[in-house]
Amino acid sequence: MALWGFEWGVSSSAYQVEGGWNADGKGASVWDTFTHKPGSIVNNANGDVACDSYHRADEDLYMLRALRVKSYRFSLSWPRIFPDGSRASLNQQGVNYYNKLINGLVASNITPMVTLHHWDLPQALQDIGGWENVSMINYFDEFCDFCFATFGDRVKFWMTFNEPYVIAWVAHGQGLLPPGIKNPGYAPYQVAHNLIKAHAKVYHIYDERYRKTQGGLVSISLNADWVEPKDVDVFREVAAADRALQFRLGWFAHPIFKNGDYPDAMKWMVGNKSELQGLPASRLPAFTDEEKEYIQGTADVFCINTYTSEIVHHVTSLLSPPSYDYDQDVREAEMDDSPATAMKGLRVVPWGLRRLLNWIKEEYGNPEIYITENGMSTDSKTTVDDTDRETGAENMNCHLFLLAHNLDGVKLKGYIAWSLLDSFEWLNGYSIGFGLHHVDFNHPERPRTPKRSAHYYYDIMRNNAAAHRAPWSRSGSCSCC
Ligand code: BGC
């Protein structure tokens, strides 16, 4: 199997690792505001210091070199570069930090993979409506244009957004993440509409101004878990599973990778329910023909973050009259016969991952795929000996990804493990660790120590994980291929 050029890497994000929340002129993000409100996060934790990566770029670079990864995916903190969100507020010290990091990576032969926005919107932009406000498109465009011009001579792999589904649904529908808006019937659709247009605009900016001279690529990191029908022999269960994938992944992937428009399943379901609610128009906004053309094809590769699989089944209607809390009318359940992890709901389901990769291949015309996040969590009591992760769940499922590549003709080009180091795990604070390196958050210097999984991953990368290391299933035979 040819794995030459396969992009092995590790990932992180600005708010989760950097700390220095107000250092050297950085502006506040929605996450600073949210975490500073008591009661928002487990143990009232916040990212004020986190792994202190803002002051410890050399230590991060040392770990990356020792791991001998080919790439490092990290995100730029928008309010560190533009404290109030606009170019007029440019903070050169923020730029200096990223220059130092990027130069260190390039000097170590590590490819920087840069996410332009991993959830930490400048608070000043939230104050004027955040992603519900269409003017964010221009602000984001201005920010990305600046980043291409400033870092694009060295950065050749860009992702506009990390998991726009989470921004739209979890932050504006469920209201669980900042800005904490709980308006499931409307806000997520409006937010997603703006995110998709913002993404497309940034792609075109790169095309028109930078691609020729910089020669990089632009994509977007979408997220999805495989969705298995409750009963594969019942048509409406299979349809429900497909619908769930369309509502999650297709919401963004269909416009960008297919035809510039939302999936039929979404248009039909949301339109239908809106009509039953007596609304004059669908709650799902529509793109004009011109916009569809502009959006279609605005990603050079397919980037997917994935952690687990779920079972779904069809429900006729969750509430009566038709509920718009959950327009797809499905109900989800965990795969409870797969290895559990510290974070509830994130069971390791390797065969599900293989199916997800195949679904993407079939649905979107066999694009080149990068897994830009995948990993396993342990609880904070686990320090360096994360044996479970290593042996019990066969860690990153790497062998399986490569089998998918090999057996199914999936064009898998890279695997970026989440995460380089334990970090601020959003609502879970520091109670959960995804890192290949343990970080002592009680120590002012935040010492980093490789876990067993770092050694394990090192071996996988060296060997290109071409062979099965261990039987997967308890019965001793491999359950994936
Ligand atoms: C996010 C990461 C997060 C990880 C584990 C992903 O959805 O992009 O920021 O740490 O999940 O929860």
Side-chain angles (χ1 to χ4, degrees), residues 312-390:
V312 306
H313 73 96
H314 170 93
V315 287
T316 307
S317 179
L318 290 171
L319 294 174
S320 186
S323 146
Y324 57 74
D325 282 9
Y326 221 48
D327 279 314
Q328 66 261 54
D329 280 0
V330 298
R331 189 160 276 157
E332 296 144 19
E334 238 186 280
M335 300 263 178
D336 54 13
D337 56 351
S338 304
T341 65
M343 194 183 275
K344 203 179 151 355
L346 293 193
R347 287 175 183 275
V348 176
V349 189
W351 56 266
L353 176 72
R354 181 174 177 187
R355 287 182 192 188
L356 177 67
L357 293 175
N358 275 280
W359 194 87
I360 293 170
K361 174 187 168 216
E362 297 301 326
E363 184 73 9
Y364 303 113
N366 203 7
E368 292 190 340
I369 304 176
Y370 287 79
I371 293 177
T372 41
E373 276 186 35
N374 174 256
M376 258 189 76
S377 55
T378 53
D379 62 32
S380 56
K381 288 194 290 297
T382 308
T383 54
V384 294
D385 188 4
D386 54 346
T387 354
D388 253 11
R389 179 205 293 243
E390 189 182 344

Side-chain angles (χ1 to χ4, degrees), residues 56-75:
R56 297 178 192 281
D58 289 333
E59 289 164 48
D60 289 353
L61 287 164
Y62 179 84
M63 279 186 295
L64 290 158
R65 277 196 297 267
L67 209 52
R68 293 180 66 188
V69 285
K70 289 192 185 166
S71 12
Y72 180 43
R73 173 178 180 259
F74 61 97
S75 75

Side-chain angles (χ1 to χ4, degrees), residues 11-13 16 73 118-119 162-163 166 221 223 305-307 343 346 372-373 375 377 418-419 423-426 428 432 434:
S11 191
S12 73
S13 89
Q16 293 178 273
R73 173 178 180 259
H118 197 126
W119 308 352
N162 179 70
E163 305 186 357
V166 174
S221 278
N223 64 299
N305 296 354
T306 182
Y307 286 86
M343 194 183 275
L346 293 193
T372 41
E373 276 186 35
S377 55
W418 186 270
S419 179
S423 61
F424 177 79
E425 191 39 54
W426 308 117
N428 291 295
I432 298 266
F434 274 88

Side-chain angles (χ1 to χ4, degrees), residues 19-98:
W21 79 278
N22 60 358
D24 301 337
K26 176 183 168 290
S29 79
V30 290
W31 271 95
D32 293 309
T33 312
F34 183 73
T35 56
H36 290 163
K37 216 178 297 149
S40 309
I41 307 287
V42 171
N43 298 329
N44 285 325
N46 59 48
D48 288 6
V49 181
C51 308
D52 204 20
S53 288
Y54 180 66
H55 300 107
R56 297 178 192 281
D58 289 333
E59 289 164 48
D60 289 353
L61 287 164
Y62 179 84
M63 279 186 295
L64 290 158
R65 277 196 297 267
L67 209 52
R68 293 180 66 188
V69 285
K70 289 192 185 166
S71 12
Y72 180 43
R73 173 178 180 259
F74 61 97
S75 75
L76 303 176
S77 157
W78 184 348
R80 192 177 294 290
I81 296 177
F82 291 175
D84 74 5
S86 75
R87 186 174 182 142
S89 67
L90 172 65
N91 173 29
Q92 189 54 41
Q93 301 201 68
V95 174
N96 297 348
Y97 166 67
Y98 293 114

